[in-house]
Amino acid sequence: MKPFPADFLWGGAVAANQCEGAYLEDGKGLSTADILNSETYGKECLPLDIDPEKFYPTHEAIDFYHTYRSDIALLGEMGFKCFRISIPWSRIFSNGDDEKPNESALAHYDDLFDCCHEHGIEPLVTLSHCEMPLEILKKYGGWKNRKVIDLFVKYAETCFRRYRSKVKYWITFNEINFIFMQGFLYQNGGVMLHSDENKKQLQYQVAYNQLVANAKCVKLCHEIIPDSLISAMVEGSLGYYGSSRPEEILFAQQDNRQYSYMFLDVLCKGKFPYYWYTDIEKDGIEIETKAADYEILRENTVDYIPISYYNSRMSVKPESAAEEKTLNSQTAASNTSAFGRESFKNPHLPCTDWGTTVDPIGFRIVLNDFYERYGKPIFVVENGIGAKDILTDSFEIHDSYRIDYIREHIKQMRLAIDDGVDVIGYTAWGCIDLVSQSRGEMSKRYGFIYVDINDDGTGTRARYKKDSFFWYQKVIAGNGENLE
């Protein structure tokens, strides 16, 4: 079997809005993530202010903004080769459209990236990860407005120029295709959905504007940092057929096209697929475009495909829902498919405590499928399992379930490499415990490092190494050869 490449980028990933805290420190402006509380996660329309009577988990999070040096030292102890972090747009430009950037924020990330390099860690930077300046939503309506394209590109260019000697790997948008999932019109698009608006119209316009913005960023990044690798990231699950019935197979094909391939076609091939035009025509959707957009998209394709992978999906036609439920003898999963319809649990796969299927072989399927279609190197920038870890009286965390999950996915990634897929790295999600993006919980833990914080924000914030910390340390040291 082929080994992992000698320069394989082992590491972990976090997002600023889920770990930094310090939500108004050093000139940072309010972001769309800052106004999410336990009642508003997953909502498409919510109050655009902060209620002093409510708890906002991201305001303090795990305080990574202040503890990054000691936290990165722990990642270095594990042997990380790569660390994925996001920069909040509202730290660099507090309102999003300010004339000049915030120098104290720029200096903060200078030091953070220097700290990474001191420990032999390559930074992988995401520019938009489920947040944007709140003022952009209030003033422009978020990503449904074309004016936001150039505002975002200005922010990106500021980061490229400032960190050109420190950051080689870039992601423009986190899980860009999540715009079709419940709650992410707001979280990914910074768009409020009102009762008189066409949700699909908004989703397609946001997707279009972000894809154009990505292409403009690719052009600038290549000019400023010639050896850089840049792309938007996609959530990499594929929908399985509900049955062998032809109509089920057609439904799943259409689901995967809209949710995954439509975005990847534009990112990797530089043009919208025929079914993009068919879909918007059938639904009477009118996209605001400019003629120059298509040349920009065509000439500025991405360098690699960064993906997240947690689970596969079941794409089931509504007409077959009752039959699927009987077959499955389980209730429908809480997440929705690309079409906004229920995605059903797979009777052949186990689930986590949060109802997510565990499908390591599906990981290999996705890696092969994307590489066959697009021929671009793939970087697995998120993979992991959320679980309710228990801190013992002796301050130990025995998370064998996490080790088992990641071990099986690394095995399948290795098999995909043996199949001939070019995989350049693997950064496990939430390598240090952080606030969950789906519900704002701390109890849904992903990390190799435990952070003593409860869902209500109480706790010591002390860090403790889990069993998985020492296991992953050995995995990295052996370049994936030692998984026991």
Side-chain angles (χ1 to χ4, degrees):
M1 188 182 297
K2 292 179 184 176
F4 284 98
D7 57 352
F8 194 78
L9 292 169
W10 296 99
V14 297
N17 71 86
Q18 295 170 253
C19 72
E20 280 191 344
Y23 80 110
L24 285 181
E25 198 161 325
D26 292 339
K28 180 183 174 295
L30 278 176
S31 79
T32 50
D34 293 328
I35 61 172
L36 289 172
N37 59 52
S38 58
E39 298 174 8
T40 53
Y41 276 90
K43 298 288 180 64
E44 304 281 21
C45 191
L46 56 147
L48 295 182
D49 53 20
I50 293 174
D51 184 341
E53 301 298 317
K54 298 187 184 301
F55 171 64
Y56 294 82
T58 63
H59 287 190
E60 295 186 15
I62 67 167
D63 198 32
F64 180 79
Y65 189 80
H66 298 110
T67 63
Y68 67 91
R69 282 199 155 270
S70 56
D71 288 337
I72 290 172
L74 287 170
L75 306 183
E77 185 181 338
M78 259 190 289
F80 275 28
K81 310 298 182 188
C82 185
F83 179 42
R84 181 184 172 212
I85 180 72
S86 67
I87 297 176
W89 184 355
S90 57
R91 283 204 191 277
I92 309 303
F93 292 96
S94 60
N95 297 302
D97 60 355
D98 311 78
E99 182 181 349
K100 295 182 178 180
N102 177 358
E103 175 57 33
S104 62
L106 291 169
H108 171 84
Y109 293 104
D110 268 323
D111 192 65
L112 191 153
F113 299 144
D114 287 344
C115 182
C116 286
H117 287 296
E118 288 168 14
H119 292 278
I121 299 171
E122 193 78 39
L124 166 60
V125 175
T126 306
L127 293 169
S128 176
H129 195 128
C130 297
E131 58 82 29
M132 66 188 304
L134 185 61
E135 287 303 309
I136 293 289
L137 188 162
K138 290 181 176 181
K139 187 173 179 179
Y140 301 95
W143 274 102
K144 68 182 180 183
N145 190 332
R146 277 194 64 100
K147 292 180 181 178
V148 178
I149 295 175
D150 289 336
L151 294 174
F152 181 79
V153 172
K154 177 183 176 181
Y155 152 60
E157 182 177 3
T158 301
C159 293
F160 297 152
R161 293 194 183 281
R162 180 68 174 231
Y163 307 120
R164 61 184 179 272
S165 64
K166 300 181 181 185
V167 179
K168 175 181 177 180
Y169 300 94
W170 296 87
I171 293 172
T172 51
F173 297 97
N174 176 74
E175 295 178 325
I176 191 171
N177 53 332
F178 241 45
I179 197 66
F180 287 113
M181 298 295 273
Q182 177 64 33
F184 283 84
L185 186 58
Y186 175 80
Q187 289 194 29
N188 271 21
V191 174
M192 296 277 279
L193 178 64
H194 301 286
S195 58
D196 61 342
E197 291 183 301
N198 182 334
K199 182 176 182 178
K200 203 167 185 179
Q201 167 79 42
L202 294 173
Q203 288 171 322
Y204 273 86
Q205 186 68 64
V206 167
Y208 181 89
N209 289 345
Q210 290 186 347
L211 287 165
V212 172
N214 173 78
K216 289 189 172 188
C217 289
V218 168
K219 183 177 188 295
L220 277 171
C221 192
H222 287 161
E223 291 171 354
I224 298 166
I225 317 172
D227 65 341
S228 61
L229 272 73
I230 183 170
S231 179
M233 170 197 167
V234 297
E235 193 278 311
S237 66
L238 287 174
Y240 290 158
Y241 308 142
S243 73
S244 58
R245 295 165 60 178
E247 56 268 35
E248 295 282 2
I249 295 170
L250 179 63
F251 180 83
Q253 179 192 55
Q254 293 172 335
D255 189 3
N256 286 327
R257 287 194 318 190
Q258 186 201 45
Y259 184 60
S260 298
Y261 304 141
M262 181 174 77
F263 290 88
L264 287 168
D265 277 4
V266 180
L267 295 170
C268 298
K269 298 180 179 179
K271 62 180 182 179
F272 289 92
Y274 70 90
Y275 46 83
W276 161 275
Y277 299 102
T278 302
D279 288 347
I280 62 175
E281 182 181 357
K282 285 182 177 179
D283 290 319
I285 293 171
E286 295 183 5
I287 305 296
E288 183 182 358
T289 68
K290 289 186 178 179
D293 294 344
Y294 299 100
E295 181 180 355
I296 291 167
L297 290 166
R298 184 174 63 254
E299 294 184 353
N300 298 283
T301 56
V302 300
D303 302 305
Y304 70 115
I305 302 175
I307 70 166
S308 62
Y309 180 86
Y310 296 95
N311 56 275
S312 54
R313 307 189 319 275
M314 290 288 290
S315 296
V316 181
K317 278 177 66 68
E319 295 85 349
S320 308
E323 179 182 350
E324 177 63 25
K325 286 180 181 178
T326 302
L327 253 170
N328 200 0
S329 70
Q330 299 183 62
T331 56
S334 59
N335 61 312
T336 57
S337 75
F339 291 159
R341 299 169 182 142
E342 289 180 320
S343 180
F344 295 90
K345 292 181 180 177
N346 189 324
H348 305 291
L349 296 172
C351 290
T352 69
D353 292 339
W354 277 267
T356 304
T357 58
V358 179
D359 185 8
I361 294 175
F363 187 29
R364 182 182 179 185
I365 292 170
V366 167
L367 292 171
N368 272 277
D369 183 80
F370 287 2
Y371 191 64
E372 176 188 358
R373 286 174 176 271
Y374 302 106
K376 301 271 187 181
I378 298 176
F379 199 149
V380 182
V381 297
E382 288 186 29
N383 175 244
I385 183 171
K388 296 179 180 179
D389 296 335
I390 297 174
L391 181 66
T392 70
D393 292 340
S394 55
F395 303 107
E396 296 175 322
I397 304 95
H398 304 302
D399 56 341
S400 58
Y401 40 85
R402 180 167 294 108
I403 293 171
D404 291 341
Y405 176 97
I406 295 178
R407 177 193 291 120
E408 294 308 310
H409 283 77
I410 290 177
K411 284 180 179 178
Q412 293 299 322
M413 180 169 59
R414 172 79 177 275
L415 288 168
I417 290 172
D418 195 55
D419 294 333
V421 179
D422 183 4
V423 185
I424 61 177
Y426 175 90
T427 55
W429 173 249
C431 49
I432 181 169
D433 288 347
L434 39 61
V435 175
S436 164
Q437 190 64 51
S438 57
R439 299 180 186 177
E441 301 163 316
M442 277 298 303
S443 55
K444 187 179 183 182
R445 299 176 181 274
Y446 286 85
F448 304 119
I449 301 164
Y450 185 95
V451 183
D452 183 26
I453 304 176
N454 303 311
D455 284 343
D456 63 0
T458 59
T460 66
R461 284 180 166 70
R463 273 62 164 159
Y464 301 101
K465 300 170 187 176
K466 304 179 189 181
D467 288 354
S468 58
F469 179 103
F470 303 101
W471 174 81
Y472 196 50
Q473 185 182 54
K474 290 190 296 184
V475 170
I476 297 173
N479 196 28
E481 293 294 332
N482 181 9
L483 298 178
E484 298 308 314

